[in-house]
Amino acid sequence: MIHSQANKFVSVTPPAAIVDNGDYTTAEIDTLGFDYCTIYCYLGATDIAMTKLEVHEGDTSGSHTQVSSLVYGSSNDIAGSTSALPTADDDNKCFIFDIDLRNRKRYLDVDATAGNGSAGTFATIFAILSRADEGPVTAADRGAGNIVRA
């Protein structure tokens, strides 16, 4: 087994227009069948700090509450320090949530808000689900349009 082939890509916020003083539109992540999720918030050009970047969870689709340990600005980071929200100086940086899905609720969603700047913040958000009970075998099962293998 090649472990990276047992992953699933989930588009949460696809590349789109820059957001200024507003919430990003996000798609929910259904984690059924996976034990781990890594969520990436990849920033492009930004001229203002984000005002919110956090993960919510729920037992049912569409119903989510904040996960207090997954909030940029108050949760601890990988070094054990209090994390900080992305700032106006974080162009082209990636902010990551590592989530052990065991003992978590089934559905995840990202709540992200751009601050009020002269232009705003460009971001795309995606998740990689891994440690599957049963590995996905088709491109669609892996969240891809198609897969080329050499």
Side-chain angles (χ1 to χ4, degrees):
M1 170 199 250
I2 300 172
H3 292 287
S4 66
Q5 292 178 358
N7 295 341
K8 180 178 181 179
F9 174 85
V10 180
S11 177
V12 177
T13 301
I18 198 165
V19 175
D20 187 44
N21 195 29
D23 295 329
Y24 291 89
T25 301
T26 60
E28 178 177 78
I29 304 163
D30 183 353
T31 66
L32 183 67
F34 294 89
D35 285 343
Y36 208 84
C37 179
T38 306
I39 299 173
Y40 302 86
C41 177
Y42 188 65
L43 302 179
T46 180
D47 72 346
I48 190 72
M50 292 184 74
T51 59
K52 189 187 300 180
L53 183 57
E54 58 193 42
V55 173
H56 293 201
E57 68 179 355
D59 287 322
T60 58
S61 178
S63 177
H64 311 108
T65 57
Q66 182 190 71
V67 180
S68 62
S69 60
L70 295 171
V71 177
Y72 271 93
S74 64
S75 298
N76 285 343
D77 64 18
I78 195 169
S81 303
T82 302
S83 62
L85 282 161
T87 70
D89 297 324
D90 286 328
D91 291 12
N92 304 312
K93 290 185 182 172
C94 190
F95 291 78
I96 299 172
F97 295 96
D98 279 330
I99 307 165
D100 184 344
L101 297 173
R102 295 171 296 176
N103 300 316
R104 293 242 69 92
K105 296 181 179 180
R106 176 175 170 179
Y107 296 94
L108 300 177
D109 199 7
V110 177
D111 192 356
T113 304
N116 189 5
S118 57
T121 302
F122 182 82
T124 186
I125 303 170
F126 62 93
I128 303 292
L129 295 168
S130 58
R131 299 183 187 165
D133 294 337
E134 186 175 312
V137 294
T138 67
D141 289 344
R142 289 182 53 197
N146 204 350
I147 298 171
V148 173
R149 184 174 291 153

